């Protein structure tokens, strides 16, 4: 009987765990649980006899792959997968998947909430601004960007987007979108929402010059990865431009310095909150379980990323 480990330093909700277990049980697969572990050795011991692993933000590296002799598949319950060493996975003959789209509405709603929070001055009693008629620029238009565009349309915002492959004209019209370059989005949008993955091309790609080019009173909302920000450039821009703001779901490494310079123009959530809803939590876990069953029983590699 195949055995799957749910390894979550930050656990799924209890109801989601039970749902995942049922999916595996119905497929004749045994489930093993490791939650809130505090030492890597606990993870290394737990992977020794498993065929698959479901993770969240847990790091799966060479040491883990070396310890998991029977391992065939790792599924990251979420869209990003930079916490898994893909090269080592491939060397060890392990399939790695993510679960794209399962957390996207939750992250989009958080981005919208942060926009309101900043526009209303953190609800401090002072007069703020409305989102209606403001121009929103979405950098990296995938599942999250699509959901955010839907929400922004409801607010009556004008939505621009940038992605590697432009949508066709019919789709742009149906979704009320305008395509623009990243440079133009920063130069002309009141709010810029970042959804860019962290890779060699995007790390530190958002920096001083782009931030300085923003319109008066503009804000950047980052629910993606902190690595895409040039944090020293951000600090310099916030120093020089006392009208711009930066809100993030991933606290910067120089968070204290940013707070000191920008005050309420810099805000970071206490921990990464994008996928922290009961619905997203469960959806990503269930998707991960179904993908493992499909892989083990049918060889389905639809969401393979390595």
């Amino acid at each position: 009987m195949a055995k799957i480990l749910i390894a979550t330093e930050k656990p799924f909700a209890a109801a989601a765990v039970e749902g995942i277990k049922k999916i595996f049980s119905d497929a004749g697969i045994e489930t093993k649980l490791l939650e809130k572990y505090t030492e890597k050795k606990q993870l290394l011991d737990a992977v020794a006899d498993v065929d698959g692993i479901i993770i969240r933000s847990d790091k799966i590296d060479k040491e883990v792959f070396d310890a998991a002799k029977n391992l065939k598949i790792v599924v990251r319950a979420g869209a990003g997968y930079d916490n898994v060493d893909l090269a080592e996975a491939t060397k060890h003959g392990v399939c790695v998947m993510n679960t794209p789209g399962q957390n996207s509405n939750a992250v989009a709603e958080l981005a919208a909430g942060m926009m309101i929070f900043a526009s209303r001055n953190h609800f401090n009693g002072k007069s703020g601004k409305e989102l209606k008629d403001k121009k929103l620029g979405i950098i990296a238009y995938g599942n999250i960007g699509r959901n955010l565009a839907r929400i922004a349309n409801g607010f009556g915002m004008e939505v621009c987007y940038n992605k590697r492959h432009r949508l066709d004209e019919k789709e742009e019209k149906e979704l009320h979108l305008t395509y623009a370059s990243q440079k133009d989005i920063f130069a002309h949008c009141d709010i810029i929402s970042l959804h860019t993955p962290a890779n060699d091309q995007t790390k530190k790609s958002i920096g001083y010059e782009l931030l300085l080019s923003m319109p008066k009173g503009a804000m950047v909302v980052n629910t993606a990865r902190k690595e895409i920000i040039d944090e020293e450039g951000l600090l310099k821009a916030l120093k020089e431009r006392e009208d711009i703001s930066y809100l993030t779901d991933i606290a910067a490494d120089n968070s204290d310095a940013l707070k000191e310079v920008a005050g309420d123009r810099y805000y970071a959530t206490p921990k990464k909150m994008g996928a922290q809803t009961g619905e997203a939590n469960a959806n990503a876990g269930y998707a991960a379980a179904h993908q493992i069953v499909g892989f083990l029983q049918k060889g389905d590699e639809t969401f393979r990323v390595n």
Side-chain angles (χ1 to χ4, degrees):
M1 178 186 290
K3 185 184 292 186
I4 306 300
L5 173 68
I6 305 172
T8 49
E9 186 181 359
K10 299 174 184 175
F12 290 106
V17 172
E18 291 308 308
I20 294 168
K21 285 181 176 179
K22 187 176 187 308
I23 292 168
F24 286 137
S25 176
D26 290 348
I29 295 171
E30 183 182 343
T31 306
K32 187 174 178 180
L33 192 61
L34 176 67
E35 295 181 325
K36 296 182 180 179
Y37 58 94
T38 56
E39 296 178 3
K40 189 173 185 180
K41 186 178 185 305
Q42 294 170 271
L43 177 61
L44 297 177
D45 290 342
V47 301
D49 62 344
V50 301
D51 300 276
I53 309 173
I54 293 177
I55 58 168
R56 297 188 71 199
S57 299
D58 311 78
K59 293 191 182 300
I60 305 297
D61 58 13
K62 182 180 187 301
E63 203 173 358
V64 177
F65 287 118
D66 286 343
K69 303 299 182 186
N70 300 330
L71 192 61
K72 301 171 183 66
I73 181 168
V74 173
V75 180
R76 152 69 161 124
Y81 46 86
D82 50 338
N83 49 321
V84 182
D85 189 327
L86 298 185
E88 284 299 327
T90 301
K91 282 182 189 176
H92 285 77
V94 176
C95 173
V96 180
M97 296 186 187
N98 64 346
T99 60
Q102 301 302 322
N103 298 336
S104 57
N105 183 69
V107 178
E109 286 191 10
L110 177 68
M114 292 171 83
M115 293 172 197
I116 294 172
F117 181 64
S119 295
R120 293 302 183 95
N121 299 313
H122 299 206
F123 309 122
N124 64 5
K126 295 180 182 178
S127 180
K129 295 182 290 188
E130 297 179 17
L131 296 184
K132 185 176 184 292
D133 297 327
K134 299 299 186 295
K135 186 177 285 189
L136 170 66
I138 299 174
I139 303 291
Y141 186 84
N143 290 313
I144 298 168
R146 191 172 293 109
N147 275 282
L148 182 57
R150 170 181 53 80
I151 294 168
N153 281 327
F155 280 126
M157 301 180 79
E158 181 183 341
V159 183
C160 299
Y161 79 100
N162 178 263
K163 71 188 302 268
R164 189 178 302 168
H165 303 294
R166 183 174 176 173
L167 303 175
D168 62 46
E169 190 175 335
K170 182 183 176 184
E171 192 171 3
E172 286 182 354
K173 190 173 181 180
E174 287 174 351
L175 297 170
H176 309 289
L177 298 171
T178 301
Y179 179 83
S181 69
Q182 178 171 282
K183 185 177 179 181
D184 282 345
I185 282 176
F186 272 86
H188 301 293
C189 288
D190 304 293
I191 302 172
I192 297 100
S193 190
L194 306 178
H195 305 282
T196 313
N199 55 44
D200 291 341
Q201 287 73 46
T202 63
K203 286 177 181 176
K204 296 191 175 184
S205 60
I206 309 300
Y208 175 74
E209 290 186 6
L210 278 176
L211 296 167
L212 219 61
S213 74
M214 295 193 301
K216 184 175 176 59
M219 77 173 78
V220 174
V221 176
N222 182 11
T223 54
R225 292 285 189 267
K226 68 179 179 180
E227 290 83 3
I228 66 176
I229 304 295
D230 175 355
E231 294 180 352
E232 289 306 313
L234 171 63
L235 179 63
K236 188 179 178 186
L238 288 174
K239 268 184 183 176
E240 294 184 19
R241 288 281 303 273
E242 295 185 359
D243 60 301
I244 62 175
S245 56
Y246 177 72
L247 295 90
T248 179
D249 190 31
I250 325 90
D253 289 337
N254 60 346
S255 199
D256 291 342
L258 291 168
K259 186 70 177 173
E260 184 178 346
V261 163
D264 284 349
R265 292 184 295 116
Y266 170 74
Y267 175 80
T269 53
K271 63 175 184 176
K272 192 162 173 57
M273 299 294 296
Q276 295 296 328
T277 68
E279 295 88 346
N281 196 287
N283 291 343
Y286 299 157
H290 283 302
Q291 287 169 215
I292 287 177
V293 171
F295 175 80
L296 293 178
Q297 295 186 347
K298 301 175 185 177
D300 187 346
E301 297 186 356
T302 300
F303 297 102
R304 184 169 189 147
V305 293
N306 69 322

